[in-house]
Amino acid sequence: MLASLEQFMLSSGRGTGESCVQKLIMAVTGDETAATGDMPAYQLRTPTTALPQGVVMTASPGTLHSPQQLAEEATRKRELRLMKNREAAKECRRRKKEYIKCLESRVAVLELQNKKLIEELETLKDICSSETD
């Protein structure tokens, strides 16, 4: 049913002539006739095969994994997650350095501008005070 819902999400583009409700009914029931009303809407089907105890179904009913394979898969996923996290952290540090350099550059420009404005203010004060004397 999850695969059908994923197919529904992928195929729910506009302009296909089917309403979203019809597609949802087809996705949930897995039957094309449900969209036309021949079958009751939102009828969930029970699985026809029972899994042996201790076996976990992951991708499809034909793919059964042992506990060792599940542990290896979990380890592989963890390593992949850690690798992606390292890359993301590296990129975050690079962006932070770039941002800090930009801020430092802006500070330098503003300090220079502030210095020039102070000098201009002092010059204007001198001119104003000499005119009043």
Side-chain angles (χ1 to χ4, degrees), residues 16-123:
T16 59
E18 297 178 357
S19 71
C20 291
V21 174
Q22 290 172 333
K23 286 185 179 183
L24 182 59
I25 292 170
M26 288 188 306
V28 171
T29 61
D31 190 0
E32 294 288 329
T33 61
T36 61
D38 295 341
M39 185 175 185
Y42 303 107
Q43 178 183 4
L44 298 177
R45 295 183 181 168
T46 58
T48 57
T49 60
L51 295 174
Q53 196 172 27
V55 176
V56 178
M57 185 171 74
T58 57
S60 65
T63 319
L64 300 179
H65 296 291
S66 69
Q68 182 182 1
Q69 288 173 326
L70 291 174
E72 289 172 1
E73 179 71 12
T75 302
R76 187 189 65 77
K77 284 183 178 182
R78 180 179 182 273
E79 289 174 1
L80 181 64
R81 187 184 78 244
L82 290 174
M83 185 178 72
K84 286 182 178 181
N85 189 29
R86 275 191 290 272
E87 291 297 319
K90 184 178 178 180
E91 178 65 18
C92 183
R93 287 189 298 270
R94 186 196 62 78
R95 283 194 315 261
K96 183 178 178 181
K97 284 181 183 180
E98 184 178 323
Y99 176 71
I100 289 172
K101 283 182 181 180
C102 181
L103 287 179
E104 289 171 345
S105 173
R106 187 170 179 207
V107 166
V109 168
L110 291 174
E111 284 177 343
L112 183 63
Q113 184 181 10
N114 193 27
K115 184 179 176 182
K116 287 181 181 180
L117 288 172
I118 289 173
E119 289 173 0
E120 185 180 347
L121 178 63
E122 292 299 322
T123 305

